[in-house]
Amino acid sequence: MTTSEPAATLDNLLAEDRTFPPPDGFAATANVTAEAYRRATEDPEAYWAEQARRLSWATEWTDVLDWTDAPHARWFVGGELNVAYNCVDRHVESGNGERVAIHWEGEPGDTRTITYAQLQDEVCRTANALTSLGLQAGDRVAIYLPMVPEAVFAMLACARLGLPHSVVFGGFSAEALRTRIADAQAQVVITADGQYRRGSAAPLKSAVDEAVADRDSPVRSVVVVRRTGIDVSWTDKDVWWHDLVDGQSTEHTLQAFPSEHPLFILYTSGTTGKPKGILHTSGGYLTQAAYTHWAVFDLKPETDVYWCTADIGWVTGHSYIVYGPLANGATEVIYEGTPNTPHEGRHWDIVDKYGVSIYYTAPTLIRTFMKWGSEIPGRYRLDSLRVLGSVGEPINPEAWMWYRQTIGRDRCPIVDTWWQTETGAIMISPLPGVTATKPGSAMTPLPGISAAVVNDDGVRVGPGGGGYLVLDRPWPGMLRTIWGDDQRFVDTYWSRFAAQGYYFAGDGAKYDTDGALWLLGRVDDVMNVSGHRISTTEVESALVAHPSVAEAAVVGASDEMTGQGIVAFVILRGDAAAKVQTDGQSGADLVSELRKHVGTQIGPIARPRQIMIVQELPKTRSGKIMRRLLRDVAEHRDLGDVTTLQDSSVMELITTGLASGK
Ligand code: WT7
């Protein structure tokens, strides 16, 4: 959904008056009750200090929050801890070593069960291996792996050693990996020979070979997990994971790091072509990840089986597969593959097989399940489920209702969780034992979190009002800066409402008359495709990098399945344009070549759904591309006022060109 959505749709949404209170009995045993909101409002810092005590600190903090250098926050100042110790060792020490940490399910059907005691051994071995490569606290490690247990071992080993990791999604291209490695100056890359996708083995290491080939690459070593057994080429930087890690000792002496020691960098798209390296640190981040995982999902670590279907390449995987659940001593499922391999009931098969009780997924997948048909989940028991979560984009009320009825069997509360890579952890969400939910609304900020909706001038709007979502108080999991570009951090998030000191989230939002929040999608040039953030500029830059393209404009058009789909308008260079005009086939060939080109430059997720070859682009008199008009074209809407156009005949040219199939 975009903010250009016709008002009628919005009004329909806000007229949603169905509410679903917590099921009978749920509230009575819930981890959090309404009283938490009161306490947190009275004294937020005291509330967060209480939450920080969920963790084991080597040294207690002296100040909960130092905001004197705003917008640069320091949380739990003076405190020291080891993040990996909190996620692993302490559970073994407290007698839960035999508890299953991870039920891992490979796409081909192979499985691995890993207890907390075994996890401790694996993380210690991996930490010793990384030390043997000469890495020291503060050095960066890139992780480019499929959803295999080694991804978790690697992240936790980095955390244990104070090595900030930069996980790069396995679906990103060699070029995307190269720029991320260069930006963070990572010295080591951890990867796999290949990865299983839709039933077959696809190469992965070959992309690393390409990404580290430059003579000036900072990468010294590439550690390779053997996952698929496919052939790989080998260089003298490469070492097999099993050769490096398996022989290492399971003893590893811990070191505590300051609360503000960097934990990871994770790249996300902004409004320019260059992805931003979002920096998260240790104590505050882990506090909020652990607290929200416990509160929002009502986690009972002794009995629940939790499953988050995200990939560790995204922040959801960081906070709700690795750090949150493991800090809480949860038992979780990690599934390697695609949801329709070998059949469209794979997820429900896994839910029944492991007795999954908490299931956390994305609206785009829920809509896909709807398309596949209710009879598929209908064949499974699904009676172990008790809480359902959603994240990544606004969830449409129909999808919400389907999720509740068909998967939750009208029995499970749904938590629609709003947050961002930058916020580190969940910010706005119902609490399953407290909140009466409305289909499509993320409801209210969590206890300890404060948000507001403001107008263009930064003035707060009340119930029924709409505008921009802002966060008006610091929170423990907040990003600390953009790696290597602190000015961009200040400009991007803190300059729009600098006078008020608010964090600008980049999302439109509206309050209904009950004061519940409805998130309305991005207000900047960032698209949301299947819950993944991709900037229009990033795709435009990729297109313009192709020799046949002179100019490109990209918009996100609403898409029934993926939320938004990428639609590109390109103007060709002289030669290419002449060829296309005389020969229809070369136009079609070029379009498919351009789609492939974007896939290689960024990754398959950024491949445009549609590319239209045009002669002109609509621009304002000041030369800015009018994306609103292009979005209207892409969504087949009537064009509104085009009088601010530099040349209003341009739109006619584009639309008639479209009609004639160019
Ligand atoms: C953007 C953040 C948070 C992890 C996954 C995405 C959108 C996310 C919701 C939701 C409406 C949502 C926002 C946000 N978004 N969750 N529950 N309702 N919109 O992380 O890639 O950093 O993207 O995703 O637009 O700004 P991300």
Side-chain angles (χ1 to χ4, degrees):
M1 191 188 310
T2 68
T3 44
S4 64
E5 196 94 354
T9 319
L10 260 184
D11 290 343
N12 289 344
L13 209 63
L14 295 174
E16 177 65 67
D17 54 6
R18 288 172 289 192
T19 57
F20 296 90
D24 288 345
F26 198 107
T29 59
N31 287 348
V32 188
T33 61
E35 171 271 344
Y37 290 99
R38 236 167 300 133
R39 219 149 28 88
T41 310
E42 254 169 46
D43 190 345
E45 286 185 29
Y47 190 78
W48 283 117
E50 200 183 294
Q51 305 318 320
R53 291 199 183 92
R54 302 173 173 282
L55 308 180
S56 303
W57 296 78
T59 314
E60 173 99 11
W61 59 88
T62 49
D63 287 306
V64 175
L65 168 65
D66 177 3
W67 191 230
T68 53
D69 186 28
H72 301 92
R74 295 194 303 151
W75 280 86
F76 309 112
V77 185
E80 292 189 322
L81 80 170
N82 186 291
V83 168
Y85 171 81
N86 274 278
C87 293
V88 185
D89 306 60
R90 64 168 176 156
H91 306 311
V92 180
E93 286 172 14
S94 64
N96 292 312
E98 296 314 304
R99 183 184 294 167
V100 173
I102 298 169
H103 290 291
W104 180 78
E105 170 109 357
E107 193 185 79
D110 50 336
T111 61
R112 226 175 131 176
T113 307
I114 301 158
T115 64
Y116 274 96
Q118 290 166 334
L119 184 61
Q120 184 179 36
D121 287 350
E122 298 288 359
V123 173
C124 288
R125 272 198 202 102
T126 312
N128 285 321
L130 293 178
T131 303
S132 78
L133 295 177
L135 292 165
Q136 288 179 6
D139 293 344
R140 276 81 58 207
V141 173
I143 298 175
Y144 185 62
L145 278 172
M147 293 288 287
V148 290
E150 287 82 357
V152 180
F153 307 158
M155 289 167 75
L156 291 171
C158 286
R160 192 173 176 104
L161 296 169
L163 307 169
H165 54 68
S166 162
V167 181
V168 179
F169 175 53
F172 275 132
S173 66
E175 179 55 21
L177 176 63
R178 191 188 62 75
T179 55
R180 284 159 175 77
I181 288 172
D183 189 76
Q185 289 289 296
Q187 297 180 29
V188 170
V189 182
I190 304 176
T191 190
D193 53 354
Q195 57 183 337
Y196 286 108
R197 289 321 273 171
R198 297 174 218 290
S200 54
L204 192 66
K205 180 176 183 287
S206 53
V208 180
D209 293 343
E210 221 179 293
V212 307
D214 279 8
R215 221 170 334 129
D216 59 356
S217 170
V219 173
R220 298 186 280 111
S221 305
V222 177
V223 184
V224 188
V225 174
R226 182 142 65 203
R227 171 55 186 140
T228 60
I230 59 171
D231 281 345
V232 289
S233 52
W234 210 249
T235 76
D236 50 11
K237 289 183 179 180
D238 300 337
V239 54
W240 284 110
W241 174 286
H242 52 263
D243 288 339
L244 180 72
V245 177
D246 288 2
Q248 299 286 344
S249 161
T250 57
E251 301 292 315
H252 179 266
T253 310
L254 272 164
Q255 182 190 342
F257 293 96
S259 180
E260 287 298 336
H261 188 83
L263 180 62
F264 64 84
I265 303 166
L266 186 59
Y267 289 84
T268 189
S269 294
T271 52
T272 74
K274 190 173 187 276
K276 302 176 286 197
I278 303 301
L279 180 72
H280 283 289
T281 59
S282 304
Y285 168 81
L286 194 64
T287 295
Q288 195 178 334
Y291 163 68
T292 52
H293 180 256
W294 171 86
V296 172
F297 300 107
D298 191 46
L299 179 82
K300 312 281 198 258
E302 301 79 17
T303 47
D304 274 318
V305 178
Y306 165 84
W307 181 18
C308 168
T309 69
D311 190 286
I312 48 129
W314 310 111
V315 74
T316 310
H318 283 59
S319 303
Y320 297 104
I321 293 178
V322 181
Y323 293 111
L326 297 176
N328 288 333
T331 295
E332 67 175 328
V333 169
I334 297 181
Y335 171 55
E336 176 184 39
T338 34
N340 51 352
T341 307
H343 58 81
E344 292 168 346
R346 185 70 187 268
H347 273 216
W348 318 125
D349 197 33
I350 292 174
V351 167
D352 280 357
K353 176 175 173 185
Y354 296 104
V356 170
S357 55
I358 305 168
Y359 178 78
Y360 190 28
T361 196
T364 183
L365 198 54
I366 297 169
R367 292 191 295 266
T368 304
F369 292 141
M370 286 172 78
K371 186 181 74 182
W372 290 344
S374 304
E375 58 291 356
I376 292 170
R379 288 180 206 131
Y380 296 85
R381 294 195 310 276
L382 306 188
D383 54 352
S384 54
L385 290 171
R386 64 180 200 93
V387 181
L388 300 176
S390 171
V391 63
E393 56 172 316
I395 177 166
N396 15 354
E398 315 84 79
W400 195 101
M401 287 304 298
W402 185 90
Y403 196 25
R404 180 180 159 91
Q405 288 164 352
T406 312
I407 306 304
R409 311 270 154 95
D410 272 325
R411 191 188 65 235
C412 307
I414 294 181
V415 287
D416 172 11
T417 62
W418 180 91
W419 58 294
Q420 312 176 294
T421 305
E422 292 86 342
T423 68
I426 299 172
M427 302 291 283
I428 304 174
S429 166
L431 285 174
V434 180
T435 317
T437 52
K438 303 185 187 194
S441 169
M443 303 304 295
T444 50
L446 290 177
I449 299 296
S450 184
V453 179
V454 299
N455 68 15
D456 259 315
D457 303 321
V459 178
R460 288 161 181 265
V461 305
Y468 305 103
L469 181 73
V470 297
L471 302 167
D472 58 351
R473 258 209 323 255
W475 63 100
M478 68 199 292
L479 79 165
R480 298 306 196 256
T481 189
I482 291 173
W483 184 263
D485 199 349
D486 190 59
Q487 191 56 47
R488 190 174 177 197
F489 163 71
V490 175
D491 293 346
T492 307
Y493 306 106
W494 304 96
S495 69
R496 180 73 179 76
F497 298 110
Q500 296 80 4
Y502 296 158
Y503 168 91
F504 174 60
D507 279 14
K510 202 154 176 160
Y511 288 116
D512 65 19
T513 45
D514 297 333
L517 275 166
W518 296 75
L519 278 310
L520 304 175
R522 304 287 308 186
V523 294
D524 51 14
D525 292 331
V526 176
M527 300 172 285
N528 188 326
V529 182
S530 299
H532 303 317
R533 258 160 78 171
I534 301 165
S535 89
T536 53
T537 331
E538 208 176 351
V539 180
E540 284 164 6
S541 308
L543 284 166
V544 175
H546 189 279
S548 300
V549 177
E551 213 182 331
V554 167
V555 296
S558 56
D559 185 291
E560 225 178 285
M561 269 316 131
T562 60
Q564 285 190 311
I566 304 175
V567 177
F569 297 82
V570 298
I571 300 176
L572 298 180
R573 284 176 189 243
D575 295 356
K579 189 147 184 259
V580 165
Q581 283 207 326
T582 52
D583 163 13
Q585 183 53 39
S586 62
D589 289 350
L590 182 58
V591 163
S592 70
E593 186 183 319
L594 291 177
R595 292 186 66 241
K596 223 176 107 207
H597 169 77
V598 176
T600 328
Q601 289 267 308
I602 307 172
I605 50 163
R607 226 181 266 153
R609 181 183 81 183
Q610 199 178 2
I611 296 181
M612 305 184 189
I613 297 174
V614 296
Q615 253 104 66
E616 294 292 341
L617 290 169
K619 291 189 182 158
T620 60
R621 284 168 220 283
S622 62
K624 224 173 155 306
I625 292 173
M626 297 183 74
R627 287 209 174 69
R628 180 181 63 80
L629 291 180
L630 293 175
R631 213 180 290 132
D632 287 343
V633 173
E635 293 174 349
H636 313 291
R637 263 197 302 275
D638 283 346
L639 304 176
D641 179 22
V642 293
T643 49
T644 51
L645 269 180
Q646 174 207 3
D647 172 6
S648 47
S649 61
V650 163
M651 286 315 291
E652 209 176 310
L653 218 79
I654 290 181
T655 41
T656 48
L658 284 180
S660 67
K662 272 199 208 153

